[in-house]
Amino acid sequence: MAHRWTNNLTHEEITPEPLFMNRRQLIAGAAAGAAVAGLSTRADAQEALEPNPWEDITQYNNFYEFGTGKTDPAAYAGALTTDPWTVTIDGLVEKPGEYSFKDIMAEMTVEERIYRFRCVEAWSMVIPWNGFELADLLEMAGAQPEGKFVRFETLYRPEEMVGQKYRTIDWPYVEGLRMDEALHPLTIMATGIYGKTIPNQNGAPMRLVVPWKYGFKSIKSIVRITVTDEEPVNTWQDLQASEYGFYANVNPEVDHPRWSQATERKVGGGLFSKRVPTLMFNGYEEEVASLYEGMDLRKYY
Ligand code: MTE
């Protein structure tokens, strides 16, 4: 049964208890990060998790299917038909098939998650997503234990996605996660922002959000999810493997070959916007560092 975010209920009534706990943890995590970076107080850290306004989140986007400019998605994504929508779930699952988005939503529990979002281009926002845990969807399809990875694909429909008329990318856009990353409770499928249906430019009707990884991992408008025993080659790795890897964990110590990842520009700061230090795993170190124990994060970038 899905509990939906509806406008006649207040935040306190609808946000499940574990989420408040989660948000407190995130705030605590931010405070720890701020202390390390030599910033001041816990209040600053809370400030840092104030969500960006709707306008920033929906008018400054990366969605190459609609063009490479930051305002192209808002300008052109209105042409995308998102209803009806089906998602093929296949590979190493007990119940492969074509699932309608409506049927998926009837089974999932939608919650609000306020997450930091850090693009590999070194800008960031804070986004109040609504969505469900990817783990629940994988469980619904009966993901099998031999499945070590999950591969995701975006829609290919050049009639509605103007950017797909150009070979900027070898369409469709593809992403992948290791199974333990996919099952992590922070990993969600987002279906809303600020309690409203997710706008097309943000990846309607359903997009991945993995808050400790660079934004390109958070693939939009998903039509296929494949459980596999092979590490998927993701789109950016395919385009430029020396610059973009499979893991793409936010890491201030591992620079992009062409720019530093030590700091980020907070979108929406206006004229006085200043760069702030980037946090290890985007501030989710406490929750996810154990997934990468013993791994060389320079090698597996
Ligand atoms: N998914 C698809 N299908 N196509 C894209 O071009 N861009 C990625 C990611 N998901 C992209 C995508 C990048 S680089 C980022 S930073 C985020 O989407 C941006 O998400 P937002 O526009 O909701 O902020």
Side-chain angles (χ1 to χ4, degrees):
M1 276 282 281
H3 0 157
R4 298 288 168 76
W5 222 95
T6 53
N7 290 330
N8 55 354
L9 293 173
T10 65
H11 224 80
E12 285 73 17
E13 283 173 292
I14 196 80
T15 307
E17 181 75 2
L19 257 181
F20 276 112
M21 307 266 304
N22 194 28
R23 192 175 178 201
R24 265 204 298 275
Q25 275 175 20
L26 302 185
I27 290 168
V36 168
L39 299 174
S40 46
T41 58
R42 190 182 165 86
D44 279 354
Q46 294 208 21
E47 184 84 4
L49 260 196
E50 258 335 291
N52 280 71
W54 174 260
E55 289 71 28
D56 292 348
I57 299 170
T58 61
Q59 286 165 36
Y60 184 91
N61 300 99
N62 277 335
F63 199 169
Y64 278 27
E65 283 82 343
F66 296 103
T68 54
K70 292 284 182 278
T71 55
D72 288 340
Y76 302 117
L80 179 65
T81 309
T82 58
D83 182 14
W85 190 272
T86 42
V87 182
T88 301
I89 307 185
D90 60 4
L92 301 167
V93 294
E94 281 156 26
K95 289 170 265 178
E98 290 195 359
Y99 292 80
S100 82
F101 177 66
K102 285 203 177 76
D103 289 348
I104 291 174
M105 290 303 275
E107 295 293 320
M108 297 292 119
T109 303
V110 173
E111 305 175 4
E112 185 189 53
R113 299 283 179 101
I114 300 170
Y115 283 161
R116 287 192 204 83
F117 190 85
R118 168 62 157 83
C119 179
V120 74
E121 297 164 337
W123 53 262
S124 68
M125 297 195 205
V126 174
I127 305 184
W129 303 107
N130 309 93
F132 54 85
E133 291 187 10
L134 175 61
D136 291 342
L137 183 62
L138 291 172
E139 188 189 321
M140 186 183 97
Q144 293 172 357
E146 312 88 86
K148 301 288 181 256
F149 299 91
V150 186
R151 181 184 181 280
F152 305 86
E153 237 178 67
T154 293
L155 177 71
Y156 177 70
R157 191 184 287 160
E159 320 84 85
E160 292 184 357
M161 299 176 122
V162 287
Q164 287 181 333
K165 300 203 163 103
Y166 308 92
R167 306 292 311 167
T168 41
I169 278 174
D170 185 13
W171 313 106
Y173 194 100
V174 170
E175 258 309 333
L177 293 174
R178 221 168 55 185
M179 184 57 89
D180 57 348
E181 298 174 327
L183 295 178
H184 194 282
L186 285 176
T187 304
I188 59 166
M189 280 291 177
T191 56
I193 292 171
Y194 272 115
K196 301 191 177 104
T197 300
I198 195 167
N200 288 0
Q201 60 265 38
N202 293 89
M206 164 175 134
R207 63 87 62 85
L208 185 68
V209 177
V210 194
W212 71 93
K213 292 180 179 284
Y214 291 120
F216 69 82
K217 298 296 290 182
S218 292
I219 179 173
K220 296 177 169 181
S221 304
I222 294 168
V223 291
R224 188 169 173 205
I225 300 174
T226 308
V227 176
T228 162
D229 54 5
E230 271 176 47
E231 185 178 294
V233 177
N234 48 310
T235 287
W236 283 97
Q237 188 184 12
D238 181 53
L239 276 172
Q240 193 53 271
S242 60
E243 300 189 349
Y244 309 99
F246 173 76
Y247 283 92
N249 290 315
V250 176
N251 188 338
E253 288 161 21
V254 179
D255 287 338
H256 185 283
R258 291 183 281 130
W259 59 85
S260 166
Q261 294 293 24
T263 63
E264 63 204 47
R265 176 179 63 87
K266 289 166 69 74
V267 170
L271 268 183
F272 302 103
S273 93
K274 57 176 191 315
R275 301 188 75 86
V276 298
T278 288
L279 302 175
M280 188 63 201
F281 294 113
N282 204 23
Y284 302 99
E285 185 169 12
E286 205 176 304
E287 290 89 347
V288 303
S290 62
L291 299 178
Y292 309 103
E293 233 165 59
M295 271 179 71
D296 179 352
L297 297 177
R298 284 185 182 278
K299 183 169 173 209
Y300 297 100
Y301 55 94

